[in-house]
Coordinates of all heavy atoms in Angstrom, one line a residue:
M1456 N -76.0 123.5 -34.2 CA -76.1 124.6 -35.1 C -74.8 124.7 -35.9 O -73.7 124.5 -35.4 CB -76.3 125.9 -34.2 CG -76.5 127.1 -35.0 SD -77.1 128.4 -33.9 CE -77.2 129.7 -35.0
K1457 N -75.0 125.1 -37.1 CA -73.8 125.2 -38.1 C -73.1 126.4 -37.8 O -73.6 127.5 -37.7 CB -74.3 125.1 -39.5 CG -73.3 124.7 -40.5 CD -74.0 124.4 -41.8 CE -73.1 123.7 -42.7 NZ -73.6 123.4 -44.0
K1458 N -71.7 126.3 -37.8 CA -70.9 127.5 -37.7 C -70.2 127.8 -39.0 O -69.8 126.9 -39.7 CB -69.8 127.3 -36.6 CG -70.3 127.3 -35.2 CD -69.2 127.3 -34.3 CE -69.7 127.4 -32.9 NZ -68.6 127.5 -31.9
Y1459 N -70.1 129.1 -39.3 CA -69.4 129.5 -40.6 C -68.1 130.3 -40.2 O -68.2 131.1 -39.3 CB -70.3 130.4 -41.4 CG -71.5 129.7 -41.9 CD1 -72.8 129.8 -41.3 CD2 -71.4 128.9 -43.0 CE1 -73.9 129.1 -41.8 CE2 -72.5 128.2 -43.5 CZ -73.7 128.3 -42.9 OH -74.8 127.6 -43.4
G1460 N -67.1 129.9 -40.9 CA -65.8 130.6 -40.6 C -65.8 132.0 -41.3 O -66.6 132.3 -42.2
I1461 N -64.8 132.8 -40.9 CA -64.7 134.1 -41.5 C -64.0 134.0 -42.8 O -63.0 133.3 -43.0 CB -63.9 135.1 -40.6 CG1 -64.6 135.2 -39.2 CG2 -63.6 136.4 -41.2 CD1 -63.8 135.9 -38.2
Y1462 N -64.6 134.7 -43.8 CA -64.0 134.6 -45.2 C -63.0 135.7 -45.3 O -63.3 136.9 -45.4 CB -65.2 134.8 -46.2 CG -64.7 134.7 -47.6 CD1 -64.2 133.5 -48.1 CD2 -64.7 135.8 -48.5 CE1 -63.7 133.4 -49.4 CE2 -64.3 135.7 -49.8 CZ -63.8 134.5 -50.2 OH -63.3 134.4 -51.5
R1463 N -61.7 135.3 -45.3 CA -60.6 136.3 -45.3 C -60.1 136.5 -46.7 O -59.3 137.4 -46.9 CB -59.5 135.8 -44.4 CG -59.9 135.7 -42.9 CD -58.8 135.3 -42.1 NE -59.2 135.0 -40.8 CZ -59.3 135.9 -39.8 NH1 -59.1 137.1 -40.0 NH2 -59.7 135.5 -38.6
D1464 N -60.5 135.7 -47.7 CA -59.9 135.8 -49.0 C -60.8 136.6 -49.9 O -61.0 136.3 -51.1 CB -59.8 134.4 -49.6 CG -58.4 134.1 -50.0 OD1 -57.5 135.0 -49.9 OD2 -58.1 133.0 -50.5
I1465 N -61.3 137.7 -49.4 CA -62.3 138.5 -50.2 C -61.6 139.2 -51.4 O -62.3 139.4 -52.4 CB -63.0 139.6 -49.3 CG1 -64.2 140.2 -49.9 CG2 -62.0 140.7 -48.9 CD1 -65.3 139.2 -50.0
R1466 N -60.4 139.4 -51.4 CA -59.7 140.1 -52.5 C -59.1 139.1 -53.5 O -58.4 139.6 -54.4 CB -58.6 141.0 -52.0 CG -59.2 142.2 -51.2 CD -58.2 143.2 -50.8 NE -58.8 144.2 -50.0 CZ -58.4 145.4 -49.8 NH1 -57.3 145.7 -50.5 NH2 -59.0 146.2 -49.0
A1467 N -59.3 137.9 -53.3 CA -58.7 136.9 -54.3 C -59.5 137.0 -55.6 O -60.6 137.4 -55.7 CB -58.9 135.5 -53.7
R1468 N -58.8 136.7 -56.7 CA -59.4 136.8 -58.0 C -60.4 135.6 -58.2 O -60.2 134.5 -57.7 CB -58.3 136.7 -59.0 CG -57.4 137.9 -59.0 CD -56.2 137.8 -60.0 NE -56.7 137.4 -61.3 CZ -55.9 137.2 -62.3 NH1 -54.6 137.4 -62.2 NH2 -56.3 136.9 -63.5
A1469 N -61.4 135.9 -58.9 CA -62.4 134.9 -59.2 C -61.8 133.9 -60.2 O -61.2 134.2 -61.2 CB -63.7 135.5 -59.8
L1470 N -62.0 132.6 -59.9 CA -61.5 131.5 -60.8 C -62.7 130.6 -61.2 O -63.5 130.3 -60.4 CB -60.5 130.7 -60.0 CG -59.2 131.4 -59.6 CD1 -58.3 130.4 -58.8 CD2 -58.4 131.9 -60.8
I1471 N -62.7 130.3 -62.5 CA -63.6 129.3 -63.0 C -62.8 128.2 -63.6 O -62.0 128.4 -64.5 CB -64.5 129.9 -64.1 CG1 -65.2 131.2 -63.5 CG2 -65.5 128.9 -64.6 CD1 -65.9 132.0 -64.6
F1472 N -62.9 127.0 -63.1 CA -62.1 125.8 -63.5 C -60.6 126.1 -63.4 O -59.8 125.6 -64.2 CB -62.4 125.4 -64.9 CG -63.8 124.8 -65.1 CD1 -64.7 125.4 -66.0 CD2 -64.2 123.7 -64.4 CE1 -66.0 124.9 -66.2 CE2 -65.5 123.2 -64.6 CZ -66.4 123.8 -65.5
G1473 N -60.3 126.9 -62.4 CA -58.9 127.2 -62.1 C -58.3 128.3 -63.0 O -57.1 128.6 -62.9
L1474 N -59.1 128.9 -63.8 CA -58.6 130.0 -64.7 C -59.3 131.3 -64.3 O -60.4 131.3 -63.9 CB -59.0 129.7 -66.2 CG -58.4 128.4 -66.8 CD1 -59.1 128.2 -68.2 CD2 -56.9 128.6 -67.0
P1475 N -58.6 132.4 -64.4 CA -59.2 133.7 -64.2 C -60.3 133.9 -65.3 O -60.3 133.2 -66.3 CB -58.1 134.7 -64.4 CG -56.8 133.9 -64.3 CD -57.1 132.5 -64.6
V1476 N -61.2 134.8 -65.0 CA -62.3 135.0 -65.9 C -61.9 135.3 -67.3 O -62.5 134.8 -68.3 CB -63.3 136.1 -65.3 CG1 -64.4 136.4 -66.2 CG2 -63.7 135.7 -63.9
S1477 N -60.9 136.1 -67.5 CA -60.5 136.5 -68.9 C -59.9 135.3 -69.7 O -60.2 135.0 -70.8 CB -59.5 137.6 -68.9 OG -58.3 137.2 -68.1
L1478 N -59.1 134.4 -69.0 CA -58.6 133.2 -69.6 C -59.7 132.2 -69.8 O -59.7 131.4 -70.8 CB -57.4 132.7 -68.8 CG -56.2 133.5 -68.8 CD1 -55.1 132.9 -68.0 CD2 -55.7 133.8 -70.2
F1479 N -60.7 132.1 -68.9 CA -61.8 131.2 -69.1 C -62.6 131.6 -70.3 O -63.1 130.8 -71.1 CB -62.7 131.2 -67.9 CG -63.9 130.3 -68.0 CD1 -63.7 128.9 -67.9 CD2 -65.1 130.8 -68.2 CE1 -64.8 128.1 -68.1 CE2 -66.2 130.0 -68.3 CZ -66.0 128.6 -68.3
A1480 N -62.8 132.9 -70.5 CA -63.5 133.4 -71.7 C -62.7 133.0 -73.0 O -63.3 132.6 -74.0 CB -63.7 134.9 -71.7
L1481 N -61.4 133.1 -73.0 CA -60.6 132.6 -74.1 C -60.8 131.1 -74.3 O -60.9 130.7 -75.5 CB -59.1 133.0 -73.9 CG -58.2 132.7 -75.0 CD1 -58.4 133.5 -76.2 CD2 -56.7 132.9 -74.5
Q1482 N -60.8 130.4 -73.3 CA -61.1 128.9 -73.4 C -62.4 128.7 -74.0 O -62.6 127.8 -74.9 CB -61.0 128.3 -72.0 CG -61.3 126.8 -72.0 CD -60.3 125.9 -72.7 OE1 -59.1 126.2 -72.7 NE2 -60.8 124.9 -73.3
M1483 N -63.4 129.4 -73.6 CA -64.8 129.2 -74.1 C -64.9 129.6 -75.6 O -65.6 129.0 -76.4 CB -65.8 130.0 -73.3 CG -66.1 129.3 -72.0 SD -66.8 127.7 -72.2 CE -65.4 126.7 -71.6
L1484 N -64.1 130.6 -76.0 CA -64.1 131.0 -77.4 C -63.5 129.8 -78.2 O -63.9 129.5 -79.3 CB -63.3 132.3 -77.6 CG -64.0 133.5 -77.3 CD1 -63.0 134.7 -77.4 CD2 -65.2 133.8 -78.1
G1485 N -62.4 129.2 -77.7 CA -61.8 128.0 -78.4 C -62.8 126.9 -78.5 O -62.9 126.2 -79.5
V1486 N -63.6 126.6 -77.4 CA -64.6 125.6 -77.4 C -65.7 125.8 -78.5 O -66.1 125.0 -79.2 CB -65.2 125.4 -76.0 CG1 -66.4 124.5 -76.1 CG2 -64.1 124.8 -75.1
I1487 N -66.2 127.1 -78.5 CA -67.2 127.4 -79.5 C -66.7 127.3 -80.9 O -67.4 126.8 -81.8 CB -67.7 128.9 -79.1 CG1 -68.5 128.8 -77.8 CG2 -68.6 129.4 -80.3 CD1 -68.9 130.2 -77.3
A1488 N -65.5 127.8 -81.1 CA -64.9 127.7 -82.4 C -64.7 126.2 -82.9 O -65.0 125.8 -84.0 CB -63.5 128.4 -82.5
S1489 N -64.3 125.4 -81.9 CA -64.2 123.9 -82.3 C -65.5 123.3 -82.5 O -65.6 122.4 -83.4 CB -63.4 123.2 -81.2 OG -64.2 123.2 -80.0
L1490 N -66.5 123.7 -81.8 CA -67.9 123.2 -82.1 C -68.4 123.6 -83.4 O -69.0 122.8 -84.2 CB -68.9 123.7 -81.0 CG -68.8 123.0 -79.6 CD1 -69.7 123.7 -78.6 CD2 -69.1 121.5 -79.7
L1491 N -68.1 124.8 -83.8 CA -68.5 125.2 -85.2 C -67.7 124.4 -86.3 O -68.3 124.1 -87.3 CB -68.2 126.7 -85.4 CG -69.2 127.7 -84.6 CD1 -68.7 129.1 -84.7 CD2 -70.5 127.5 -85.2
V1492 N -66.5 124.2 -86.0 CA -65.7 123.4 -87.0 C -66.3 122.0 -87.1 O -66.4 121.4 -88.2 CB -64.2 123.3 -86.6 CG1 -63.4 122.3 -87.3 CG2 -63.6 124.7 -86.8
I1493 N -66.6 121.4 -85.9 CA -67.2 120.0 -85.9 C -68.5 120.0 -86.6 O -68.8 119.1 -87.4 CB -67.3 119.5 -84.5 CG1 -65.9 119.2 -83.9 CG2 -68.2 118.3 -84.4 CD1 -66.0 118.9 -82.4
I1494 N -69.4 121.0 -86.4 CA -70.7 121.0 -87.0 C -70.6 121.1 -88.5 O -71.3 120.4 -89.2 CB -71.5 122.2 -86.4 CG1 -71.9 121.8 -85.0 CG2 -72.8 122.4 -87.2 CD1 -72.5 123.0 -84.2
F1495 N -69.7 122.0 -89.0 CA -69.7 122.2 -90.5 C -68.8 121.3 -91.3 O -68.9 121.2 -92.5 CB -69.3 123.7 -90.7 CG -70.4 124.6 -90.3 CD1 -70.2 125.6 -89.3 CD2 -71.6 124.6 -90.9 CE1 -71.2 126.4 -89.0 CE2 -72.6 125.5 -90.6 CZ -72.4 126.4 -89.6
S1496 N -68.0 120.5 -90.6 CA -67.2 119.5 -91.3 C -67.0 118.3 -90.4 O -66.0 118.2 -89.7 CB -65.9 120.1 -91.8 OG -65.1 120.5 -90.7
F1497 N -68.0 117.5 -90.4 CA -68.0 116.4 -89.4 C -67.2 115.2 -89.9 O -67.4 114.6 -90.9 CB -69.5 115.9 -89.1 CG -69.6 114.9 -88.1 CD1 -69.5 115.3 -86.7 CD2 -69.8 113.6 -88.3 CE1 -69.5 114.3 -85.7 CE2 -69.8 112.6 -87.3 CZ -69.7 113.0 -86.0
S1498 N -66.3 114.8 -89.0 CA -65.5 113.5 -89.2 C -65.0 113.1 -87.8 O -64.8 114.0 -86.9 CB -64.4 113.7 -90.2 OG -63.4 114.5 -89.7
F1499 N -64.8 111.8 -87.6 CA -64.3 111.4 -86.3 C -63.0 111.9 -86.0 O -62.7 112.2 -84.8 CB -64.4 109.8 -86.3 CG -64.1 109.3 -84.9 CD1 -65.1 109.5 -83.9 CD2 -63.0 108.6 -84.7 CE1 -64.8 108.9 -82.7 CE2 -62.8 108.0 -83.4 CZ -63.7 108.2 -82.4
G1500 N -62.1 111.9 -86.9 CA -60.7 112.4 -86.7 C -60.7 113.9 -86.3 O -60.0 114.3 -85.4
L1501 N -61.7 114.6 -86.9 CA -61.8 116.1 -86.5 C -62.3 116.3 -85.1 O -61.9 117.2 -84.4 CB -62.7 116.8 -87.5 CG -62.6 118.3 -87.5 CD1 -61.3 118.8 -88.0 CD2 -63.7 118.8 -88.5
V1502 N -63.2 115.4 -84.7 CA -63.7 115.4 -83.3 C -62.6 115.2 -82.3 O -62.4 115.9 -81.4 CB -64.9 114.4 -83.1 CG1 -65.3 114.3 -81.7 CG2 -66.1 114.8 -84.0
L1503 N -61.8 114.2 -82.6 CA -60.7 113.8 -81.7 C -59.7 115.0 -81.7 O -59.1 115.3 -80.7 CB -60.1 112.5 -82.1 CG -60.9 111.3 -81.8 CD1 -60.2 110.0 -82.3 CD2 -61.3 111.2 -80.4
G1504 N -59.4 115.5 -82.9 CA -58.4 116.6 -83.0 C -58.8 117.8 -82.3 O -58.0 118.5 -81.6
T1505 N -60.1 118.2 -82.3 CA -60.6 119.4 -81.6 C -60.6 119.2 -80.1 O -60.3 120.1 -79.4 CB -61.9 119.8 -82.1 OG1 -62.8 118.8 -82.0 CG2 -61.9 120.3 -83.5
M1506 N -60.9 117.9 -79.7 CA -60.8 117.6 -78.3 C -59.4 117.7 -77.8 O -59.1 118.3 -76.7 CB -61.4 116.3 -78.0 CG -62.9 116.2 -78.1 SD -63.6 114.6 -77.9 CE -63.1 114.1 -76.3
L1507 N -58.5 117.2 -78.6 CA -57.1 117.3 -78.2 C -56.6 118.8 -78.2 O -55.9 119.2 -77.2 CB -56.2 116.5 -79.2 CG -54.7 116.5 -79.0 CD1 -54.4 115.7 -77.7 CD2 -54.0 115.9 -80.2
C1508 N -57.0 119.6 -79.1 CA -56.6 121.0 -79.2 C -57.2 121.8 -78.0 O -56.5 122.6 -77.4 CB -57.1 121.7 -80.5 SG -56.1 121.1 -81.9
N1509 N -58.4 121.4 -77.6 CA -59.0 122.1 -76.4 C -58.3 121.7 -75.2 O -58.1 122.5 -74.3 CB -60.5 121.8 -76.4 CG -61.3 122.6 -77.3 OD1 -61.0 123.7 -77.7 ND2 -62.4 122.0 -77.8
G1510 N -57.9 120.4 -75.1 CA -57.2 120.0 -73.9 C -55.8 120.7 -73.8 O -55.4 121.1 -72.7
I1511 N -55.1 120.8 -74.9 CA -53.8 121.5 -74.9 C -54.0 122.9 -74.6 O -53.2 123.5 -73.8 CB -53.2 121.3 -76.3 CG1 -52.7 119.8 -76.5 CG2 -52.0 122.2 -76.5 CD1 -52.3 119.5 -77.9
L1512 N -55.0 123.6 -75.1 CA -55.3 125.0 -74.8 C -55.5 125.2 -73.3 O -55.0 126.1 -72.6 CB -56.4 125.5 -75.6 CG -56.9 127.0 -75.3 CD1 -55.8 127.9 -75.7 CD2 -58.1 127.3 -76.0
Y1513 N -56.3 124.3 -72.7 CA -56.7 124.3 -71.3 C -55.4 124.2 -70.4 O -55.2 124.9 -69.5 CB -57.7 123.3 -70.9 CG -58.1 123.3 -69.5 CD1 -58.8 124.4 -68.9 CD2 -57.8 122.2 -68.7 CE1 -59.1 124.4 -67.6 CE2 -58.1 122.2 -67.3 CZ -58.8 123.3 -66.8 OH -59.2 123.3 -65.5
T1514 N -54.6 123.2 -70.7 CA -53.4 123.0 -69.9 C -52.4 124.1 -70.1 O -51.7 124.5 -69.1 CB -52.7 121.7 -70.3 OG1 -52.4 121.6 -71.7 CG2 -53.5 120.5 -69.9
A1515 N -52.3 124.7 -71.3 CA -51.4 125.9 -71.5 C -51.9 127.1 -70.7 O -51.1 127.8 -70.1 CB -51.4 126.2 -73.0
L1516 N -53.2 127.3 -70.7 CA -53.8 128.4 -69.9 C -53.6 128.2 -68.4 O -53.3 129.1 -67.7 CB -55.2 128.6 -70.3 CG -55.5 129.2 -71.7 CD1 -57.0 129.2 -71.9 CD2 -54.9 130.5 -71.9
L1517 N -53.7 126.9 -68.0 CA -53.4 126.6 -66.5 C -52.0 126.9 -66.2 O -51.7 127.4 -65.1 CB -53.8 125.2 -66.2 CG -55.2 124.9 -65.9 CD1 -55.4 123.4 -65.6 CD2 -55.7 125.7 -64.6
Q1518 N -51.1 126.5 -67.1 CA -49.7 126.7 -66.8 C -49.4 128.2 -66.8 O -48.6 128.7 -66.0 CB -48.8 126.1 -67.9 CG -48.8 124.6 -67.8 CD -48.2 124.1 -66.5 OE1 -47.2 124.6 -66.0 NE2 -48.8 123.1 -65.9
L1519 N -50.0 129.0 -67.7 CA -49.9 130.4 -67.7 C -50.4 131.1 -66.4 O -49.9 132.0 -66.0 CB -50.5 131.0 -68.9 CG -50.3 132.5 -69.2 CD1 -48.9 132.8 -69.5 CD2 -51.2 132.9 -70.4
T1520 N -51.5 130.5 -65.9 CA -52.1 131.0 -64.7 C -51.1 130.7 -63.5 O -50.9 131.6 -62.6 CB -53.4 130.4 -64.4 OG1 -54.3 130.7 -65.5 CG2 -54.1 130.9 -63.2
N1521 N -50.6 129.5 -63.4 CA -49.8 129.1 -62.3 C -48.4 129.8 -62.4 O -47.8 130.1 -61.3 CB -49.6 127.6 -62.3 CG -50.9 126.9 -61.9 OD1 -51.8 127.5 -61.3 ND2 -51.0 125.7 -62.4
R1522 N -47.9 130.0 -63.5 CA -46.5 130.7 -63.7 C -46.7 131.8 -64.7 O -46.4 131.7 -65.8 CB -45.5 129.7 -64.2 CG -45.2 128.6 -63.2 CD -44.1 127.7 -63.6 NE -44.7 126.8 -64.7 CZ -43.9 126.0 -65.4 NH1 -42.6 126.0 -65.3 NH2 -44.5 125.2 -66.3
P1523 N -47.1 133.0 -64.2 CA -47.3 134.2 -65.1 C -46.0 134.7 -65.7 O -46.1 135.5 -66.6 CB -48.0 135.2 -64.2 CG -47.7 134.8 -62.8 CD -47.4 133.3 -62.8
N1524 N -44.9 134.4 -65.1 CA -43.6 134.9 -65.7 C -43.1 134.2 -66.9 O -42.1 134.5 -67.4 CB -42.5 134.9 -64.6 CG -42.2 133.5 -64.1 OD1 -43.0 132.6 -64.4 ND2 -41.2 133.4 -63.3
L1525 N -43.9 133.2 -67.5 CA -43.5 132.5 -68.7 C -43.5 133.5 -69.9 O -42.7 133.3 -70.8 CB -44.5 131.4 -69.0 CG -44.4 130.2 -68.0 CD1 -45.5 129.2 -68.4 CD2 -43.0 129.5 -68.2
L1526 N -44.4 134.5 -69.9 CA -44.4 135.4 -71.0 C -43.6 136.6 -70.8 O -43.5 137.5 -71.7 CB -45.9 135.8 -71.3 CG -46.8 134.7 -71.8 CD1 -48.2 135.2 -72.1 CD2 -46.2 134.1 -73.1
Q1527 N -43.0 136.8 -69.7 CA -42.2 138.0 -69.4 C -40.8 137.9 -70.1 O -40.0 137.0 -69.9 CB -41.9 138.1 -67.9 CG -41.2 139.3 -67.5 CD -41.1 139.4 -66.0 OE1 -41.6 138.6 -65.3 NE2 -40.3 140.4 -65.6
M1528 N -40.6 138.8 -71.0 CA -39.4 138.8 -71.9 C -38.3 139.6 -71.2 O -37.1 139.1 -71.3 CB -39.7 139.4 -73.2 CG -40.7 138.6 -74.0 SD -40.2 137.0 -74.4 CE -41.6 136.3 -75.1
G1529 N -38.5 140.7 -70.7 CA -37.4 141.5 -70.1 C -37.7 141.8 -68.7 O -38.6 141.3 -68.0
N1530 N -36.9 142.7 -68.1 CA -37.0 143.1 -66.7 C -38.2 144.1 -66.6 O -38.5 144.9 -67.5 CB -35.8 143.8 -66.2 CG -34.6 142.8 -66.2 OD1 -34.8 141.6 -66.1 ND2 -33.4 143.4 -66.3
V1531 N -38.9 144.0 -65.4 CA -40.0 144.8 -65.2 C -39.5 146.2 -64.9 O -40.0 147.2 -65.4 CB -40.9 144.3 -64.1 CG1 -42.0 145.2 -63.7 CG2 -41.4 142.9 -64.5
L1532 N -38.5 146.3 -64.0 CA -37.9 147.6 -63.6 C -36.6 147.8 -64.2 O -35.8 146.8 -64.5 CB -37.9 147.7 -62.1 CG -39.2 147.6 -61.4 CD1 -38.9 147.6 -59.9 CD2 -40.0 148.8 -61.7
P1533 N -36.2 149.0 -64.4 CA -34.8 149.3 -64.9 C -33.8 148.9 -63.9 O -34.1 148.9 -62.7 CB -34.8 150.7 -65.3 CG -35.9 151.3 -64.5 CD -36.9 150.3 -64.3
K1534 N -32.5 148.8 -64.3 CA -31.5 148.4 -63.3 C -31.1 149.6 -62.4 O -30.8 149.4 -61.3 CB -30.2 148.0 -64.0 CG -30.4 146.6 -64.7 CD -29.1 146.1 -65.3 CE -29.4 144.8 -66.0 NZ -28.3 144.1 -66.4
A1535 N -31.2 150.8 -63.0 CA -31.0 152.0 -62.2 C -32.1 153.0 -62.4 O -32.6 153.2 -63.5 CB -29.6 152.6 -62.6
I1536 N -32.5 153.7 -61.3 CA -33.5 154.7 -61.3 C -32.9 156.0 -61.1 O -32.1 156.2 -60.1 CB -34.6 154.4 -60.3 CG1 -35.3 153.0 -60.6 CG2 -35.7 155.5 -60.3 CD1 -36.3 152.6 -59.6
S1537 N -33.1 157.0 -62.0 CA -32.5 158.3 -61.9 C -33.5 159.4 -62.1 O -34.4 159.2 -62.9 CB -31.3 158.3 -62.9 OG -30.8 159.6 -62.9
N1538 N -33.2 160.5 -61.6 CA -34.0 161.7 -61.8 C -33.5 162.5 -63.0 O -34.1 163.6 -63.3 CB -34.1 162.6 -60.6 CG -35.0 161.9 -59.5 OD1 -35.9 161.1 -59.8 ND2 -34.7 162.3 -58.3
K1539 N -32.4 162.1 -63.6 CA -31.8 162.9 -64.7 C -32.7 162.8 -65.9 O -33.3 161.8 -66.2 CB -30.5 162.2 -65.0 CG -29.7 162.9 -66.1 CD -28.4 162.2 -66.4 CE -27.7 162.8 -67.6 NZ -26.5 162.1 -67.9
K1540 N -32.9 164.0 -66.5 CA -33.8 164.1 -67.7 C -33.1 163.3 -68.8 O -31.9 163.5 -69.1 CB -34.0 165.5 -68.0 CG -34.8 166.3 -67.1 CD -35.1 167.7 -67.5 CE -35.9 168.5 -66.5 NZ -36.2 169.8 -67.0
T1541 N -33.9 162.6 -69.5 CA -33.4 161.8 -70.6 C -33.7 162.6 -71.9 O -34.9 162.6 -72.4 CB -34.0 160.4 -70.7 OG1 -35.4 160.6 -70.7 CG2 -33.6 159.6 -69.6
N1542 N -32.7 163.4 -72.4 CA -32.9 164.2 -73.6 C -31.8 163.9 -74.5 O -30.6 164.0 -74.2 CB -32.9 165.7 -73.2 CG -33.4 166.5 -74.3 OD1 -33.6 166.1 -75.4 ND2 -33.5 167.8 -74.0
F1543 N -32.1 163.5 -75.7 CA -31.1 163.1 -76.7 C -30.6 164.3 -77.5 O -29.7 164.1 -78.4 CB -31.6 162.0 -77.6 CG -31.9 160.7 -76.8 CD1 -33.2 160.3 -76.6 CD2 -30.9 160.0 -76.2 CE1 -33.5 159.2 -75.9 CE2 -31.2 158.8 -75.5 CZ -32.5 158.4 -75.3
L1544 N -31.2 165.5 -77.3 CA -30.7 166.6 -78.0 C -29.5 167.2 -77.3 O -29.5 167.4 -76.1 CB -31.8 167.7 -78.2 CG -33.1 167.2 -78.9 CD1 -34.1 168.3 -78.8 CD2 -32.7 166.9 -80.4
H1545 N -28.5 167.6 -78.0 CA -27.3 168.2 -77.4 C -27.3 169.7 -77.8 O -27.1 170.1 -78.9 CB -26.0 167.5 -78.0 CG -26.0 166.0 -77.7 ND1 -25.8 165.5 -76.4 CD2 -26.2 165.0 -78.5 CE1 -25.8 164.2 -76.5 NE2 -26.1 163.9 -77.8
Y1546 N -27.4 170.5 -76.7 CA -27.5 171.9 -76.9 C -26.1 172.6 -76.9 O -25.9 173.7 -77.3 CB -28.4 172.6 -75.9 CG -29.8 172.2 -76.0 CD1 -30.4 171.3 -75.1 CD2 -30.6 172.6 -77.1 CE1 -31.7 171.0 -75.2 CE2 -31.9 172.3 -77.3 CZ -32.5 171.4 -76.3 OH -33.8 171.1 -76.5
T1547 N -25.2 171.9 -76.3 CA -23.8 172.5 -76.2 C -22.9 171.6 -77.0 O -23.1 170.4 -77.3 CB -23.3 172.5 -74.7 OG1 -23.3 171.2 -74.2 CG2 -24.2 173.4 -73.9
D1548 N -21.7 172.2 -77.4 CA -20.7 171.5 -78.1 C -19.9 170.7 -77.1 O -19.4 171.2 -76.1 CB -19.8 172.5 -78.9 CG -18.9 171.8 -79.8 OD1 -19.2 170.6 -80.2 OD2 -17.9 172.4 -80.3
E1549 N -19.8 169.4 -77.3 CA -19.1 168.5 -76.4 C -17.6 168.5 -76.6 O -16.9 167.8 -75.9 CB -19.7 167.1 -76.4 CG -21.1 167.1 -76.0 CD -21.7 165.7 -76.0 OE1 -20.9 164.7 -76.4 OE2 -22.8 165.5 -75.8
S1550 N -17.1 169.1 -77.6 CA -15.6 169.0 -77.9 C -14.8 170.0 -77.1 O -15.2 170.8 -76.3 CB -15.4 169.3 -79.4 OG -15.9 170.6 -79.7

């Protein structure tokens, strides 16, 4: 009799070809756009170029999935957290 293990990864994100669903949809938009380009202006160089572009897009999206901090420009949290109200209006004379 076949035994099945307990599925503990129930909260893991769904992946299609190693990409999350949103990035896979972006990849499919690129594939559809390249198919439209190939259909309306057919040449062998264009076919190879679109295949190369789709491959580059796929590897870039995989890298973005594996290392999500590539697009992070600044710090996520501030260096200091304070309850002080941030108000730039000065009601009193500081002199």
Side-chain angles (χ1 to χ4, degrees):
M1456 186 166 176
K1457 199 172 197 180
K1458 286 189 175 185
Y1459 294 101
I1461 298 172
Y1462 183 65
R1463 298 184 190 272
D1464 235 359
I1465 194 72
R1466 294 184 185 206
R1468 293 174 50 179
L1470 296 176
I1471 304 171
F1472 292 120
L1474 295 172
V1476 176
S1477 60
L1478 292 181
F1479 179 75
L1481 183 66
Q1482 174 70 34
M1483 286 300 108
L1484 284 175
V1486 168
I1487 291 170
S1489 66
L1490 285 174
L1491 287 173
V1492 167
I1493 289 172
I1494 288 170
F1495 290 116
S1496 59
F1497 186 75
S1498 70
F1499 188 68
L1501 194 64
V1502 171
L1503 292 178
T1505 55
M1506 287 175 60
L1507 180 69
C1508 287
N1509 284 331
I1511 291 171
L1512 177 65
Y1513 180 67
T1514 55
L1516 291 176
L1517 273 179
Q1518 290 297 318
L1519 186 64
T1520 302
N1521 293 335
R1522 293 186 283 170
N1524 58 352
L1525 287 175
L1526 293 180
Q1527 184 177 353
M1528 298 296 174
N1530 295 335
V1531 176
L1532 295 174
K1534 292 186 180 190
I1536 298 174
S1537 173
N1538 287 335
K1539 182 180 175 184
K1540 291 183 180 180
T1541 55
N1542 190 355
F1543 297 111
L1544 297 175
H1545 301 289
Y1546 294 110
T1547 60
D1548 190 20
E1549 294 180 4
S1550 56

